[in-house]
Amino acid sequence: MKILELKVLRGPNYWSVRRPKLIQMKLDLEELEQLPTNKIPGFRERIEQMLPSMIEHRCSESRRGGFFHRVEEGTWMGHVVEHIALELQSLAGMNTGFGRTRSTGEKEGVYYVVFNYEEEDAGVHAAKAAVRVAQALTDGTEYDVEKDIQELREIREETRLGPSTGSIVNEAAKRNIPFIRLNKHSLVQLGYGVHQRRIRATIASTTSSIAVDLACDKEDTKNILEAAEVPVPKGVIIRNETELQEAIDDLGYPIVLKPIDGNHGKGATTNIVDWEGALRALEDAQKYGRSIICERFITGVDFRLLVINYKFICAARRTPAAVWGDGKSTIQQLIDETNKDPRRGYGHEKVLTQITVDNATWKMLNDKGYTLETVPAAGEEVWLKPTANLSTGGTSTDVTEEVHPANVFMAERIARLIGLDICGIDIMAENLSEPLAETGGAVLEVNAAPGFRMHVEPSEGIGRNVAEPVVDMLFPQGVDGRIPIIAITGTNGKTTTTRITAAIVRAAGRKVGYTTSDGIYIQNQKMMDGDTTGPVSAQFVLKDPTVDFAVLECARGGILRGGLGFQQCDVAIVTNIAEDHLGMGGINTVEQMARVKQVVPETVSNRGFAILNADDDLVYKMKSDLSCNIGLFSMREDNPRVLEHCARGGKAVIFENGYVTIMKENWKVRVLPVKDIPVTYHGKAMHNIANVLPAVLATYLFKAVTIEDIRHALRTFEPSAVLTPGRLNFFHLRKCTFLADFAHNPAGVQLLSEFVAQLDYPQKIGVITGTGDRRDEDIRSIGAMAAAAFDQIILRMDKNLRGRSAAEIEVLLREGVHSVNPELPVLYIADEMEALRHAYEHCQRGALVTALCDKVDGTLSKIRAIQEEEEAGGKAQFT
């Protein structure tokens, strides 16, 4: 077996809209295509022995053990790899279960193996491991599957959001608030555009940076609290051994040493009772900073109080990782026994974390004169960590109901004193059921970015949904952090429709971000060049804090490579479906292409609209699979699909009697005559009328957009090489007129040819090319369409031939031309600049030279160079 390709899909995709996180592996079974599992001796026994938990895989039989039964009957190895990849992730503590295995249709034995993941790095690792496991099972060789599972656990812990950040993100997702992970760590954006908020762990974009600085400076925090009559331990700041001795003389033993700007217990040593221990603690603390806080050690129980948005939320009693002696077992044996608790797991996969032996453990044991081989007395508690962090094996007990009102008041007041809207307060006291002032307890620290795990999943007591008040604070009731999204897909017309839609929204006063095949625009300023119709470009717009409306072109390539860059949109437009890009990416038929495009309308919210082309059978057919509202558009005012739809109360837009007309039930709203819409070229560019229609209906659906906004935008949207590059761009020279267009598939060239046929020029020359990665019949069709429109044709070549030779493309284009008109003059000039210059120099005066452009900017620059040559009266150099 051989992996040919691995793709990570991160958004709604061809395989599943509701399960966006998928690995797509292109797998060549090679000789195993001829060996289903029932023809491999012992395969069923070996896989069941290695992965017995796969008994739970029901597979298509929908019963326990269904997959093993399929293996026994005989199934192909791609299907086996899919199930192994899912099981490896499941055994590593990740919740997966969706998979598909389908032939690519390219050649026998090559499959797409698709399965879901929680963490993409783990998903990629699982894909490769699954192939290795399946090969070992086939060959009957030994394989250490536990090594793969442990590696997956480690990848999971390294890449997943921590429990605190994860709890906030999950709470936001429950409320349909979108999120984007902004880095590999804990920085997350909640919401889109101008409505976004950010969190990093449990610090929010609403959190004061001054408050975080104060909380991180233990001296300043202590001074503020002490001045406000909050009980804190007596202490001083020290920097060397002399100052340490002076502090001990003043405070007496026991003491605590900790870095002044430390966190999570790093460098802290508690309950120091002698000079030797104090020196070791000073050395440890100064690894994290020169200034050290020395405090009187307060005895009692370690409590954490959580305050969010200046309201007390909950409290927990924390206990460091420890074991209890039985008089017989060594400390190491007691640790091993404690780790057998099913609630303990690796990292954050379970309620409790396994206890590991590290430098902090050795230090604590050494301080007591113990080693791992020491046998503690029965009932003796041996602490293994200096702090009560759950991530190092500590435990927590919820004590929220026990907190005295005076302590609640104190906690809320402390949050206000420091200015922290998400605040963890560490208290040492005998209990919290009495006021701190009466028990002799003290506030030890105030923490920015407090951990939530101890509250969400306590070892004992009630778990608290502490993420809820955080999300309430960031997004008050009724606010979901979203901005309107109009998503546009189809074969042809996407970019022009996107630009017209964005122009209408902009006319309504909104700050629009939009993506097209020639770049990303924020408020009409171009931010990035190139084909930006994929998920990364969509998220570029959604991450921009100035944008309050997004219009996103969504092309086939982006959907297949990574899925969509959003989970949900408000309106989706499908312009049309035609034969283009077939035979690429496993999409071999126009029906499969329609399924790719259908991903976009499937993401429309229940209250939103999918706007479908009623003149296109494949697009119209999508309506039966959609749960959202439907809007239709048609170039035929008598289209029975539109008439029936509107008779049932639906909305549509049509080209009717020379007008763009909106239909609502039996009512009509005439927007504008097409002759007043510049992009239609006085109604001659029929395909641009078809592009205007869905843009009008999509924007009309929003209350913020008025019919006057739509009219104003359509009247002022002037087609040009600047505003609509590569879309019917005219250059009027003294000798001739150049027309540049991005038409690159048979349907697009057909529309361009129909437009050119309506133009009155004495001679029409076509400078055309074919795209090498298209099918033979597609390249021939471009030649045939061009032959019907032009008096003379010049064949030129793109620099990137995409897998073919120039000679192949030339032959196919000539075949297409001559299939329509064997007598039509055809020249071959490979270089685009030379082809354009030849057309200019040899054309009749007043001719039209039409150039098909793949790299729009390059073609437009070459035409401008010829225009400048003419104006200068000479021949400029241009390459």
Side-chain angles (χ1 to χ4, degrees):
M1 285 182 290
K2 180 169 62 178
I3 298 174
L4 303 178
E5 180 183 76
L6 273 176
K7 289 181 179 176
V8 179
L9 307 180
R10 302 177 181 90
N13 55 74
Y14 179 73
W15 303 99
S16 177
V17 170
R18 304 304 170 200
R19 301 176 184 87
K21 297 169 69 171
L22 299 177
I23 299 294
Q24 178 182 299
M25 172 168 48
K26 191 175 182 181
L27 182 66
D28 187 349
L29 297 187
E30 297 178 316
E31 70 278 359
L32 287 179
E33 172 66 5
Q34 309 305 321
L35 285 175
T37 51
N38 62 338
K39 293 185 178 180
I40 302 173
F43 189 89
R44 158 71 191 268
E45 292 76 15
R46 288 194 292 273
I47 191 170
E48 193 165 3
Q49 181 179 11
M50 180 182 289
L51 297 166
S53 51
M54 289 179 75
I55 189 73
E56 302 299 335
H57 290 218
R58 296 173 175 267
C59 204
S60 57
E61 298 191 3
S62 299
R63 64 180 178 88
R64 189 171 186 266
F67 172 68
F68 283 152
H69 186 248
R70 289 285 307 277
V71 169
E72 190 169 336
E73 284 190 330
T75 188
W76 267 259
M77 200 55 63
H79 182 214
V80 174
V81 167
E82 169 203 324
H83 278 265
I84 292 174
L86 291 170
E87 185 62 15
L88 291 177
Q89 292 180 91
S90 179
L91 291 171
M94 289 169 279
N95 183 24
T96 59
F98 173 83
R100 294 285 185 271
T101 300
R102 300 287 185 268
S103 171
T104 64
E106 296 174 6
K107 74 170 189 175
E108 187 180 45
V110 179
Y111 293 85
Y112 285 123
V113 178
V114 178
F115 57 88
N116 68 323
Y117 64 86
E118 278 194 356
E119 304 300 325
E120 64 178 66
D121 289 351
V124 170
H125 186 90
K128 297 174 181 177
V131 172
R132 294 195 299 267
V133 170
Q135 191 67 60
L137 290 169
T138 300
D139 299 339
T141 56
E142 292 293 322
Y143 190 87
D144 184 3
V145 73
E146 287 301 323
K147 180 174 179 289
D148 283 326
I149 295 169
Q150 181 57 29
E151 287 174 351
L152 283 169
R153 288 193 186 106
E154 292 170 5
I155 293 170
R156 179 202 69 205
E157 289 304 302
E158 184 179 338
T159 59
R160 81 190 313 181
L161 290 172
S164 300
T165 313
S167 68
I168 298 172
V169 169
N170 291 338
E171 178 64 24
K174 282 196 310 188
R175 304 185 193 192
N176 202 29
I177 296 169
F179 67 91
I180 301 173
R181 191 169 180 178
L182 298 177
N183 64 12
K184 289 278 190 180
H185 305 291
S186 56
L187 183 62
V188 178
Q189 174 182 315
L190 304 177
Y192 290 150
V194 296
H195 299 311
Q196 68 180 266
R197 298 289 184 268
R198 290 180 182 175
I199 59 170
R200 183 162 61 189
T202 58
I203 294 177
S205 51
T206 56
T207 303
S208 161
S209 60
I210 293 177
V212 173
D213 284 345
L214 283 175
C216 290
D217 189 317
K218 293 178 171 51
E219 181 180 19
D220 281 348
T221 299
K222 186 174 181 180
N223 291 339
I224 290 172
L225 297 183
E226 194 169 22
E229 294 298 324
V230 174
V232 294
K234 185 179 179 183
V236 294
I237 304 301
I238 64 166
R239 295 172 181 81
N240 52 52
E241 292 183 17
T242 301
E243 292 177 356
L244 173 61
Q245 183 64 66
E246 291 172 355
I248 293 173
D249 291 342
D250 180 41
L251 299 172
Y253 291 112
I255 61 168
V256 175
L257 291 180
K258 53 189 175 183
I260 196 169
D261 55 356
N263 55 53
H264 302 294
K266 293 176 181 176
T269 304
T270 61
N271 199 18
I272 302 167
V273 296
D274 56 38
W275 178 246
E276 290 75 15
L279 289 177
R280 288 196 300 270
L282 178 63
E283 182 182 352
D284 288 342
Q286 288 191 324
K287 292 175 182 176
Y288 298 91
R290 180 168 174 265
S291 297
I292 307 302
I293 191 165
C294 178
E295 293 177 341
R296 176 76 180 172
F297 178 64
I298 306 295
T299 58
V301 179
D302 184 354
F303 293 103
R304 163 65 64 81
L305 279 65
L306 184 65
V307 178
I308 296 173
N309 203 17
Y310 307 108
K311 298 292 184 184
F312 169 74
I313 301 299
C314 57
R317 181 175 68 244
R318 305 186 299 174
T319 306
V323 292
W324 293 83
D326 60 7
K328 299 178 293 184
S329 305
T330 66
I331 292 174
Q332 181 63 66
Q333 290 170 335
L334 293 170
I335 292 172
D336 294 341
E337 189 62 30
T338 301
N339 283 339
K340 290 179 182 178
D341 184 338
R343 296 177 300 167
R344 291 191 182 270
Y346 182 83
H348 296 139
E349 70 179 345
K350 296 183 179 179
V351 174
L352 298 174
T353 299
Q354 291 183 343
I355 301 171
T356 58
V357 176
D358 58 14
N359 290 336
T361 308
W362 283 111
K363 181 177 179 300
M364 295 199 72
L365 294 178
N366 288 337
D367 288 347
K368 292 177 65 74
Y370 286 1
T371 70
L372 290 174
E373 300 307 311
T374 299
V375 177
E380 180 186 355
E381 184 181 22
V382 180
W383 282 20
L384 302 170
K385 307 290 179 186
T387 57
N389 292 332
L390 269 66
S391 59
T392 58
T395 62
S396 67
T397 302
D398 180 75
V399 295
T400 303
E401 310 300 336
E402 302 174 12
V403 182
H404 191 279
N407 292 332
V408 170
F409 171 75
M410 179 192 68
E412 293 177 350
R413 183 166 174 258
I414 288 170
R416 291 281 185 186
L417 287 167
I418 303 302
L420 268 181
D421 57 2
I422 303 175
C423 179
I425 302 167
D426 292 343
I427 291 176
M428 187 69 73
E430 291 301 322
N431 60 68
L432 292 178
S433 58
E434 301 174 76
L436 210 61
E438 296 179 10
T439 62
V443 174
L444 303 182
E445 288 186 8
V446 177
N447 297 277
F452 283 1
R453 186 184 177 199
M454 70 185 77
H455 307 295
V456 174
E457 294 182 317
S459 315
E460 297 178 36
I462 300 171
R464 307 285 174 171
N465 182 7
V466 296
E468 182 178 30
V470 174
V471 179
D472 287 342
M473 176 180 71
L474 298 176
F475 300 96
Q477 188 173 6
V479 177
D480 63 7
R482 292 183 175 273
I483 61 173
I485 297 175
I486 297 176
I488 299 165
T489 193
T491 300
N492 292 307
K494 299 186 296 297
T495 295
T496 301
T497 302
T498 297
R499 287 182 172 277
I500 296 170
T501 303
I504 295 172
V505 173
R506 192 165 57 252
R510 303 304 291 265
K511 297 181 172 100
V512 190
Y514 61 99
T515 62
T516 70
S517 58
D518 57 74
I520 299 174
Y521 296 80
I522 303 295
Q523 299 186 50
N524 229 31
Q525 298 293 312
K526 195 172 193 179
M527 299 289 109
M528 187 182 297
D529 281 315
D531 187 345
T532 57
T533 55
V536 174
S537 303
Q539 291 199 349
F540 183 101
V541 169
L542 298 174
K543 287 190 285 191
D544 192 289
T546 69
V547 170
D548 64 11
F549 204 115
V551 182
L552 306 174
E553 181 179 344
C554 305
R556 165 209 65 91
I559 296 172
L560 291 176
R561 284 191 299 272
L564 295 175
F566 52 88
Q567 303 294 321
Q568 179 180 297
C569 65
D570 300 278
V571 175
I573 295 171
V574 186
T575 59
N576 47 66
I577 303 294
E579 293 186 351
D580 189 24
H581 296 282
L582 299 183
M584 301 167 62
I587 306 303
N588 302 304
T589 68
V590 71
E591 290 76 18
Q592 287 178 316
M593 184 61 72
R595 178 69 194 90
V596 174
K597 307 291 188 178
Q598 187 174 317
V599 170
V600 178
E602 284 182 354
T603 67
V604 176
S605 65
N606 290 335
R607 293 185 177 184
F609 277 79
I611 299 178
L612 307 177
N613 186 344
D615 300 332
D616 188 308
D617 291 344
L618 287 171
V619 176
Y620 181 76
K621 186 180 178 182
M622 293 178 186
K623 67 190 290 288
S624 60
D625 296 325
L626 303 177
S627 58
C628 61
N629 298 302
I630 302 296
L632 299 177
F633 70 96
S634 174
M635 293 290 287
R636 294 170 43 207
E637 61 183 288
D638 61 347
N639 187 313
R641 293 168 173 172
V642 172
L643 297 176
E644 180 185 358
H645 175 71
C646 291
R648 293 180 176 178
K651 294 181 175 66
V653 61
I654 57 173
F655 175 46
E656 173 245 358
N657 197 26
Y659 280 81
V660 172
T661 300
I662 296 169
M663 296 180 65
K664 299 191 300 179
E665 302 176 2
N666 295 321
W667 298 93
K668 291 184 179 179
V669 179
R670 281 189 167 174
V671 181
L672 274 180
V674 296
K675 66 181 179 59
D676 292 342
I677 303 174
V679 76
T680 71
Y681 292 93
H682 302 284
K684 293 178 181 177
M686 300 299 287
H687 60 292
N688 271 354
I689 299 175
N691 294 333
V692 166
L693 296 179
V696 166
L697 183 55
T699 51
Y700 180 76
L701 294 169
F702 290 90
K703 292 181 180 179
V705 181
T706 68
I707 196 73
E708 286 306 317
D709 293 328
I710 296 173
R711 287 170 178 152
H712 173 74
L714 294 180
R715 286 193 189 103
T716 57
F717 187 83
E718 294 280 351
S720 67
V722 174
L723 191 59
T724 55
R727 275 72 186 176
L728 298 185
N729 299 152
F730 282 91
F731 295 81
H732 299 289
L733 283 65
R734 288 195 296 271
K735 182 178 182 183
C736 68
T737 295
F738 277 95
L739 169 60
D741 195 86
F742 185 59
H744 58 285
N745 56 49
V749 175
Q750 175 67 36
L751 293 170
L752 177 64
S753 298
E754 291 171 359
F755 173 67
V756 169
Q758 298 180 70
L759 304 179
D760 187 17
Y761 288 90
Q763 183 187 30
K764 298 175 183 177
I765 300 173
V767 180
I768 72 170
T769 187
T771 308
D773 57 4
R774 302 305 199 271
R775 301 175 304 172
D776 290 359
E777 55 265 40
D778 295 331
I779 299 175
R780 289 193 190 96
S781 291
I782 287 174
M785 301 294 181
F790 301 113
D791 306 316
Q792 178 184 340
I793 288 177
I794 300 174
L795 306 181
R796 61 96 181 166
M797 293 294 136
D798 292 330
K799 287 186 178 180
N800 182 0
L801 298 178
R802 304 192 190 189
R804 288 187 190 262
S805 68
E808 285 181 276
I809 297 172
E810 179 192 357
V811 167
L812 292 170
L813 287 171
R814 284 184 183 275
E815 288 175 357
V817 170
H818 292 148
S819 70
V820 173
N821 185 352
E823 305 302 321
L824 190 68
V826 179
L827 291 176
Y828 176 70
I829 304 175
D831 181 78
E832 183 179 34
M833 185 61 190
E834 292 304 316
L836 293 171
R837 183 174 281 124
H838 183 279
Y840 171 79
E841 291 174 352
H842 294 86
C843 70
Q844 298 178 22
R845 182 165 293 277
L848 175 70
V849 178
T850 300
L852 303 188
C853 48
D854 178 48
K855 300 297 182 184
V856 174
D857 289 344
T859 303
L860 299 185
S861 296
K862 292 176 176 69
I863 294 173
R864 288 191 186 101
I866 294 173
Q867 188 174 32
E868 290 168 3
E869 291 171 10
E870 184 184 74
E871 292 172 355
K875 185 173 181 180
Q877 294 297 314
F878 189 87
T879 60

